[in-house]
Amino acid sequence: MNFFHTSIISVDQFSKTDIRKVFELADYYRKNLDDGKVLTDLKGKVLTALFYEPSSRTFASHIAAMQRLGGSIIPIQGVTFSSVAKGETLEDTVRAFASYSDVIALRHPQEGASRIAAEYSTVPIINAGDGTGEHPTQALLDLYTIQSKLGRIDSLSVAMVGDLKYGRTVHSLSKLLSLYKKITLYFVCPKTSPMPKPIISLLTKRGVQIKTVRSINEIISIVDVLYMTRIQKERMDEKLYNSIKNMFILNADLANKMKKNAIIMHPLPRIIEITKDVDENPRAVYFTDQMRNGMVIRMALLKLILNK
Ligand code: CP
């Protein structure tokens, strides 16, 4: 991929070579930050973070990434105080912010919103989560974390636990993993929240071994990565949510049954699906590597998109 001035809409855009390029630059930025260096690679560039849905990490890490590269930001978190509240369309809003900035990170409740925005924007759009669709930058930071912690991506067994129907992070991550060799994916989900069929078809076509199970116990001792997700309360009715919210909970006793070098991941926010006593487990990387990596991966992407 030629990253320069390219919108990042889906993980489908990425080859393994592209991923390697992003990871190499992320390594470089991670080392520079660890060494306390002040960077100015994107001095004079402006990012709009345009978030129609709640966010902590994706919003703040895009902003931190731009600022740590010497750039500036227009932060729009929630659209109550923008002209969206007066009825302005996504297309017109994007046109406005494209006039003031060099790149727009967009989070929106509607699947496909980033693709539509990219049609109307004169600057690149970064999909920061589009409804139940995709979350490509999250998948890149997740994959980068797996590579950094386990030293490889090939030949891994990964369990994805929780709401696989509405969870956009697992949609994007499973597709990225499918680019690698000998991947086994265990889907641990309620019957009402399965991985969407088109994604399963794609994964199968690419040679991924897939097994769906109904209990964490069945896979806890054999996986290299346990990727927990929350049940997406905001995308289902209350009755359904209450019937499935307690189905898959990781506690310290369960976590201790994992392989010594396995890792526990979560895109966050965590609600009840990981108990607090797991946080100190050395396998847990969701508050450490995963979050820090979110910023360096976004630094790498911004640099590739904005500089030739
Ligand atoms: N992982 C993630 O998308 O978190 P936020 O909703 O806090 O951005």
Side-chain angles (χ1 to χ4, degrees):
M1 178 185 352
N2 177 11
F3 284 90
F4 181 63
H5 217 261
T6 298
S7 291
I8 305 297
I9 306 297
S10 163
V11 291
D12 297 339
Q13 293 168 254
F14 287 81
S15 66
K16 279 166 76 172
T17 307
D18 299 326
I19 293 167
R20 206 173 308 122
K21 197 169 176 180
V22 176
F23 286 7
E24 277 169 12
L25 193 53
D27 282 344
Y28 167 80
Y29 283 138
R30 193 165 65 171
K31 178 158 188 349
N32 273 267
L33 290 183
D34 289 348
D35 293 346
K37 296 247 172 73
V38 177
L39 302 163
T40 54
D41 299 26
L42 293 183
K43 193 161 186 249
K45 301 290 185 189
V46 178
L47 161 81
T48 297
L50 177 58
F51 277 54
Y52 287 68
E53 269 194 335
S55 166
S56 297
R57 281 143 290 271
T58 315
F59 182 76
S61 62
H62 272 99
I63 286 172
M66 194 58 166
Q67 289 177 323
R68 286 192 181 267
L69 290 172
S72 311
I73 50 137
I74 302 174
I76 309 289
Q77 189 170 30
V79 285
T80 319
F81 297 109
S82 78
S83 283
V84 174
K86 300 176 205 160
E88 188 171 55
T89 62
L90 173 66
E91 293 89 321
D92 292 357
T93 302
V94 159
R95 279 186 179 116
F97 287 110
S99 311
Y100 311 134
S101 49
D102 301 289
V103 59
I104 298 172
L106 174 70
R107 174 168 288 190
H108 196 279
Q110 185 191 326
E111 186 174 342
S114 291
R115 201 174 296 282
I116 294 168
E119 283 171 26
Y120 291 88
S121 176
T122 51
V123 302
I125 300 287
I126 299 175
N127 180 357
D130 62 331
T132 59
E134 281 219 36
H135 198 341
T137 64
Q138 176 74 42
L140 285 167
L141 81 87
D142 289 339
L143 199 70
Y144 182 63
T145 303
I146 293 170
Q147 166 84 67
S148 312
K149 294 302 290 181
L150 301 179
R152 69 182 202 283
I153 303 171
D154 290 332
S155 306
L156 288 180
S157 292
V158 179
M160 296 182 168
V161 184
D163 183 352
L164 307 188
K165 180 177 179 184
Y166 297 122
R168 57 197 170 203
T169 65
V170 286
H171 299 167
S172 294
L173 179 58
S174 61
K175 288 201 278 181
L176 275 193
L177 283 167
S178 72
L179 296 175
Y180 295 82
K181 290 182 203 142
K182 294 186 181 170
I183 298 293
T184 303
L185 291 181
Y186 295 97
F187 294 150
V188 190
C189 57
K191 277 189 179 147
T192 50
S193 290
M195 184 63 83
K197 280 189 181 141
I199 297 181
I200 292 192
S201 298
L202 178 71
L203 302 178
T204 308
K205 211 165 102 188
R206 289 183 176 170
V208 176
Q209 296 294 312
I210 297 174
K211 289 178 192 159
T212 299
V213 299
R214 301 280 173 229
S215 143
I216 298 179
N217 254 312
E218 286 183 55
I219 49 81
I220 193 75
S221 61
I222 56 175
V223 294
D224 303 297
V225 178
L226 185 65
Y227 192 95
M228 299 293 297
T229 66
R230 72 185 172 93
I231 303 292
Q232 306 253 317
K233 184 179 184 179
E234 69 275 29
R235 307 196 198 279
M236 63 187 72
D237 66 46
E238 202 177 336
K239 192 172 164 217
L240 177 58
Y241 176 72
N242 286 332
S243 70
I244 62 177
K245 68 179 181 189
N246 294 318
M247 255 182 204
F248 306 108
I249 295 186
L250 180 70
N251 59 30
D253 288 344
L254 257 181
N256 284 330
K257 291 182 184 167
M258 293 178 72
K259 287 195 222 172
K260 190 165 172 278
N261 295 324
I263 56 172
I264 303 164
M265 302 179 72
H266 194 310
L268 304 175
R270 170 257 306 270
I271 314 300
I272 52 168
E273 59 282 352
I274 300 182
T275 58
K276 284 186 184 160
D277 54 9
V278 179
D279 299 351
E280 301 310 316
N281 189 304
R283 301 174 185 91
V285 299
Y286 40 88
F287 285 138
T288 52
D289 305 69
Q290 222 178 329
M291 270 204 282
R292 182 78 170 170
N293 289 342
M295 182 171 68
V296 293
I297 282 289
R298 287 165 181 136
M299 288 171 78
L301 279 172
L302 286 171
K303 166 76 175 165
L304 289 167
I305 292 169
L306 292 174
N307 275 6
K308 263 199 175 131

